[in-house]
Every structure is written in structure tokens, then in C-alpha cells.
Amino acid sequence: VLFVDDSICGYIIARPKDDIRSSHIAKISMALDPNYFGRGLGSEMLDFLIKYLRKWTFIKQIQLTVLTNNERA
């Protein structure tokens, strides 16, 4: 969860796939309040998560699905 000035403005979650053969792959879900767009916070959350996964987990690959109407992504 991302806080700015004591307010929740976004989140990012990584979850390993359920299949044992694919458990080294994590699905990522993230969201950011539109009031905080354009500040680099989404990139900051993603960078933090990638560094965390590399250091503390067995995850070797991440997958992020983006909707086609999400032009900012």
C-alpha cells in the first residue's frame, strides 16, 4: 500500500501462480488514485516490488496484464 500525506493513494500486489510448475512466476496487480498520476509513483511502486522479489523470493518472472484502454500504462 502506498501512502502520501497519510492517505492511501495506491497499491501493488504480487502473487505466485497456483500451478507448481509456474510458481516461479508472479502475477502483479496495481492501482493508483488518478489524483496522484504524473508523479512517478506507479513506477516507484513497481521498482520497489521488483527489487523486493529479487532479494526475498524465488520469483523469476513477473506478469502484468493491462487493459487496452489504459493508455498511461
Side-chain angles (χ1 to χ4, degrees):
V1 177
L2 179 65
F3 289 90
V4 173
D5 298 329
D6 296 325
S7 295
I8 296 174
C9 63
Y11 72 86
I12 189 165
I13 299 169
R15 193 176 117 204
K17 286 192 162 190
D18 296 330
D19 177 5
I20 191 69
R21 293 181 351 168
S22 301
S23 62
H24 66 286
I25 301 171
K27 297 181 200 178
I28 293 180
S29 175
M30 64 186 294
L32 185 64
D33 183 325
N35 293 319
Y36 295 91
F37 285 2
R39 299 182 188 186
L41 297 173
S43 295
E44 191 175 317
M45 286 192 300
L46 193 53
D47 288 345
F48 174 85
L49 181 66
I50 290 169
K51 288 175 186 172
Y52 177 88
L53 293 174
R54 284 183 177 157
K55 184 172 183 175
W56 296 106
T57 74
F58 54 88
I59 298 298
K60 300 295 180 202
Q61 180 180 347
I62 57 174
Q63 295 178 341
L64 174 65
T65 302
V66 179
L67 299 177
T68 57
N69 64 346
N70 187 346
E71 295 178 17
R72 294 186 64 86

